[in-house]
Amino acid sequence: MIGNEVNEGKSVDVDVEKVTTATVAFENTYELTTYDVKVDKVDKENDEKIAGAELKVINQANEEIAHWITDGKNSYNLKLVPGTYTLIEVNAPKGYEIAKPITFVVGKDGKVVDYQNNKIIMKDKAKPGKLVIAKIVKGNISKEQAEKSIKFEVIDKDTQDKKVYSLNDFEYDENSGKWMLELTKVAGKYTVKELTDDVQGYKLTHIVSIIDGKEKGDVAANLNVEKDETTTIEYTNNYEENKIETKENKSDQTPKQESKKAKTGDDTQILENLMLLISSLGGILFGLRFYRRKNEF
């Protein structure tokens, strides 16, 4: 500025006249240097980027610096001057819990303190899913017999962790006659298998498994448990009492056959004894005759 005249630039030409004063004033505007800071939103278990998270960044004055929704593909790039900031998750994606806020500092050298490559990584913990096993038993088998014999095995396909549950671990509804077991599981793939076949005194004649309304026929089933969702498998078994021939039934038939044989055997024995007696009498008579003749001579 020369007098009242405004000029822009780093230099100006000034005419200084005799016995006068020429005034030159420079007014400069400075802006703080901004630095790149990247933000990633990932799954806590596998570190994969996730979409649908609503995030914002505020400064120490609680002023909003940025606000966005993650796309699950790219890091979000911020332009920040040195200072203290807070990364906040406003809304978490479906199936995830809201993460705690992260406070970070951008130094005068442009580096984010305690973070490598000027990248802030916020991790979301997935909400667990639920695996429900339902059991219905048909036939004359009692509740006590079922709970004593019937078991299920649940296998986590990722970790190969195996757990066995008996019907005693289930909740039983007297009205519906149904056993229910609800398990909280990390989202993933599982195998559910019924371990019991026949129950003592009863034979398993039919089995049906239904997964989320779709009928299957196997005792083992592969299931997907989703984040914050419920997956249900229902088994229905039909048992029939084993028909075993009793001793009383056997005794009714056996004596008749044996008595028949005994009668035949007795007739033969009597005939043999009679022949033996006749033979013996003949021998005796012959002996007597021989004795008499001998005495006569």
Side-chain angles (χ1 to χ4, degrees):
M1 177 184 289
I2 304 174
N4 293 324
E5 184 179 351
V6 178
N7 296 281
E8 292 184 0
K10 293 182 179 180
S11 62
V12 293
D13 295 328
V14 180
D15 292 330
V16 180
E17 298 179 0
K18 297 176 182 179
V19 198
T20 59
T21 300
T23 301
V24 179
F26 286 91
E27 182 177 323
N28 293 351
T29 300
Y30 291 92
E31 292 182 356
L32 292 172
T33 303
T34 60
Y35 300 95
D36 290 331
V37 177
K38 295 183 182 298
V39 177
D40 276 350
K41 168 60 87 175
V42 302
D43 186 300
K44 186 176 182 179
E45 294 297 324
N46 53 34
D47 289 332
E48 292 181 359
K49 290 185 175 68
I50 52 179
E54 184 181 357
L55 305 177
K56 71 177 182 179
V57 173
I58 61 174
N59 60 18
Q60 279 187 299
N62 204 31
E63 297 170 331
E64 187 174 278
I65 305 300
H67 196 136
W68 74 99
I69 295 176
T70 60
D71 62 7
K73 298 178 181 179
N74 304 301
S75 300
Y76 189 81
N77 192 49
L78 297 166
K79 295 285 187 180
L80 300 176
V81 300
T84 301
Y85 301 89
T86 302
L87 172 64
I88 299 171
E89 184 167 24
V90 180
N91 288 303
K94 179 177 172 57
Y96 288 92
E97 299 176 1
I98 292 179
K100 294 181 179 180
I102 297 175
T103 298
F104 60 95
V105 176
V106 179
K108 291 182 179 180
D109 58 357
K111 294 182 179 180
V112 180
V113 179
D114 295 331
Y115 287 89
Q116 294 182 351
N117 303 319
N118 275 25
K119 180 179 285 189
I120 311 297
I121 300 176
M122 178 176 271
K123 298 186 176 184
D124 274 7
K125 181 180 179 180
K127 292 180 180 179
K130 291 181 180 179
L131 174 59
V132 175
I133 304 173
K135 179 67 176 177
I136 297 174
V137 175
K138 294 183 177 180
N140 296 326
I141 182 173
S142 68
K143 177 177 178 290
E144 290 72 21
Q145 286 173 310
E147 291 180 347
K148 183 179 179 180
S149 303
I150 298 174
K151 295 181 180 180
F152 292 89
E153 182 180 61
V154 179
I155 304 173
D156 185 326
K157 284 198 168 184
D158 292 330
T159 64
Q160 290 302 305
D161 179 53
K162 298 181 181 180
K163 290 187 177 179
V164 176
Y165 303 89
S166 71
L167 282 190
N168 284 319
D169 300 313
F170 289 54
E171 293 290 334
Y172 182 70
D173 187 338
E174 292 283 353
N175 295 324
S176 64
K178 182 185 292 187
W179 287 267
M180 298 281 288
L181 177 66
E182 184 178 290
L183 303 172
T184 300
K185 293 291 184 181
V186 174
K189 296 181 178 180
Y190 295 85
T191 296
V192 177
K193 183 179 181 181
E194 183 173 2
L195 301 179
T196 306
D197 290 329
D198 295 338
V199 175
Q200 186 175 6
Y202 294 84
K203 184 178 181 180
L204 177 60
T205 59
H206 189 60
I207 183 169
V208 174
S209 58
I210 300 175
I211 304 172
D212 290 333
K214 296 180 180 179
E215 185 174 319
K216 306 288 183 181
D218 299 329
V219 294
N222 297 318
L223 307 172
N224 286 324
V225 176
E226 303 292 342
K227 303 179 187 72
D228 203 26
E229 298 287 343
T230 299
T231 300
T232 302
I233 179 168
E234 181 176 294
Y235 285 90
T236 300
N237 289 10
N238 188 64
Y239 290 91
E240 290 184 0
E241 190 172 0
N242 286 333
K243 295 181 179 179
I244 302 174
E245 196 173 31
T246 63
K247 292 182 179 180
E248 293 179 358
N249 292 335
K250 287 183 178 179
S251 62
D252 291 341
Q253 297 176 1
T254 305
K256 292 181 181 179
Q257 296 175 355
E258 289 179 353
S259 62
K260 208 170 194 180
K261 291 181 180 178
K263 187 174 181 181
T264 304
D266 289 345
D267 291 343
T268 304
Q269 187 67 36
I270 291 170
L271 182 60
E272 289 177 353
N273 292 337
L274 183 58
M275 293 296 292
L276 182 60
L277 180 58
I278 293 171
S279 177
S280 299
L281 290 173
I284 293 171
L285 292 173
F286 179 80
L288 289 173
R289 287 180 180 179
F290 179 79
Y291 178 76
R292 286 177 180 176
R293 288 180 180 179
K294 186 177 179 181
N295 289 336
E296 288 176 356
F297 289 103

